[in-house]
């Protein structure tokens, strides 16, 4: 158990606010994907055990996730260079995520737990996909480690899915230090990379969702 604790309401607000903020940069399917992602927290919250009657079940874990078969997609872009320069192939990002979490035990049947705890790894995976042939161009993960993991607690890994190079699945190093990677913080980073000029202009425009995101 890595000890990190998050508030249900804060995390749901983070997902909902950023979904609205980033809508123009995301595939139309992303709206329903992120709604399901936020709603999962409500469902997990409702499964919190009673502290007094189920002490052995107080750390029951659940997967809060964006699964591979319903991956979050951005719109395609060649804007991953600044100014008049454009990138090469037109690509988009596929994002999946899994956090293994446990809601705090509730004090009574009427109680609503406020927080959840990370129980194991928390991983967000980003994959670049070539729009022309739908083939993956590369991937990386931004993660929060569990107690058994070596190296940096908040880290990124360039880790493939197969045994062949480059970056074969069997070689898990290096673990590169990074900021605390909540799923929406990773998505913001991805949009800033894929749509460099557009995202910069969008992010400085005042709006209720942007002001809320800045506070987050």
């Amino acid at each position: 158990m890595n000890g990190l604790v998050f508030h249900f309401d804060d995390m749901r607000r983070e997902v909902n606010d950023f979904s609205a903020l980033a809508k123009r940069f995301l595939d139309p399917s992303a709206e329903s994907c992120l709604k399901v992602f936020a709603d999962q927290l409500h469902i997990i919250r409702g499964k919190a055990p009673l502290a007094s009657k189920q002490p052995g079940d107080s750390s029951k874990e659940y997967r809060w996730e964006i699964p591979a078969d319903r991956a979050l997609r951005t719109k395609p872009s060649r804007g991953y260079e600044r100014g008049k320069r454009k990138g090469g192939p037109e690509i988009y990002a596929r994002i999946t995520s899994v956090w293994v979490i446990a809601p705090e035990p509730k004090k009574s049947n009427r109680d609503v737990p406020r927080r959840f705890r990370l129980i194991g790894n928390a991983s967000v995976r980003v994959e670049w996909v070539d729009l022309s042939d739908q083939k993956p161009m590369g991937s990386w993960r931004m993660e929060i480690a569990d107690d058994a993991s070596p190296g940096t607690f908040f880290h990124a890994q360039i880790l493939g899915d197969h045994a062949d190079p480059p970056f074969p699945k069997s070689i898990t190093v290096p673990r590169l230090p990074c900021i605390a990677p909540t799923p929406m913080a990773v998505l913001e980073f991805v949009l800033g990379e894929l749509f460099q000029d557009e995202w910069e202009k969008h992010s400085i425009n005042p709006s209720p969702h942007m002001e809320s995101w800045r506070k987050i």
Side-chain angles (χ1 to χ4, degrees):
M1 182 181 298
N2 64 33
L4 289 181
V5 175
F6 298 84
H7 286 254
F8 278 105
D9 288 341
D10 288 349
M11 195 61 75
R12 286 190 72 191
R13 184 164 54 250
E14 179 172 326
V15 176
N16 290 329
D17 280 353
F18 201 76
S19 176
L21 174 64
K23 185 175 181 178
R24 60 176 283 196
F25 297 91
L26 302 177
D27 185 81
S29 63
E31 184 174 5
S32 61
C33 172
L34 290 173
K35 182 180 185 305
V36 170
F37 191 49
D39 288 348
Q40 283 180 31
L41 284 178
H42 178 71
I43 295 170
I44 293 171
R45 189 180 201 176
K47 294 181 178 179
L50 278 169
S52 58
K53 295 184 179 180
Q54 302 175 42
D57 199 29
S58 61
S59 293
K60 188 171 182 180
E61 62 186 45
Y62 299 92
R63 290 171 65 89
W64 180 41
E65 63 181 329
I66 301 174
D69 61 351
R70 296 194 303 274
L72 174 66
R73 288 180 50 169
T74 69
K75 289 182 176 177
S77 174
R78 278 201 178 96
Y80 43 94
E81 295 284 355
R82 298 301 299 269
K84 295 181 179 180
R85 297 178 61 191
K86 295 296 180 185
E90 192 168 12
I91 61 174
Y92 64 88
R94 293 179 76 251
I95 299 171
T96 56
S97 176
V98 58
W99 279 26
V100 180
I101 67 175
E104 288 188 334
K106 55 187 180 182
K107 300 175 182 178
S108 68
N109 285 324
R110 295 183 178 182
D111 185 31
V112 178
R114 298 173 55 201
R115 308 188 304 177
F116 65 86
R117 185 181 300 273
L118 281 178
I119 296 297
N121 274 4
S123 179
V124 184
R125 182 176 184 271
V126 183
E127 182 179 53
W128 297 140
V129 182
D130 190 328
L131 182 65
S132 64
D133 58 13
Q134 299 298 311
K135 290 183 178 179
M137 304 285 285
S139 66
W140 76 93
R141 296 169 169 84
M142 297 180 79
E143 301 186 324
I144 303 174
D146 62 16
D147 285 343
S149 296
T152 308
F153 192 60
F154 300 108
H155 65 260
Q157 283 182 292
I158 306 172
L159 187 66
D161 294 322
H162 307 288
D164 300 326
F167 304 109
K169 189 176 182 180
S170 60
I171 300 178
T172 58
V173 292
R175 293 178 174 88
L176 306 170
C178 69
I179 59 171
T182 68
M184 295 302 100
V186 176
L187 178 55
E188 182 184 33
F189 172 77
V190 167
L191 297 181
E193 291 288 286
L194 266 186
F195 305 94
Q196 294 198 16
D197 288 331
E198 287 184 75
W199 179 255
E200 182 180 25
K201 293 175 183 176
H202 182 68
S203 64
I204 62 176
N205 288 329
S207 71
H209 292 301
M210 182 58 74
E211 290 305 314
S212 179
W213 179 250
R214 287 193 179 116
K215 293 175 183 178
I216 293 171

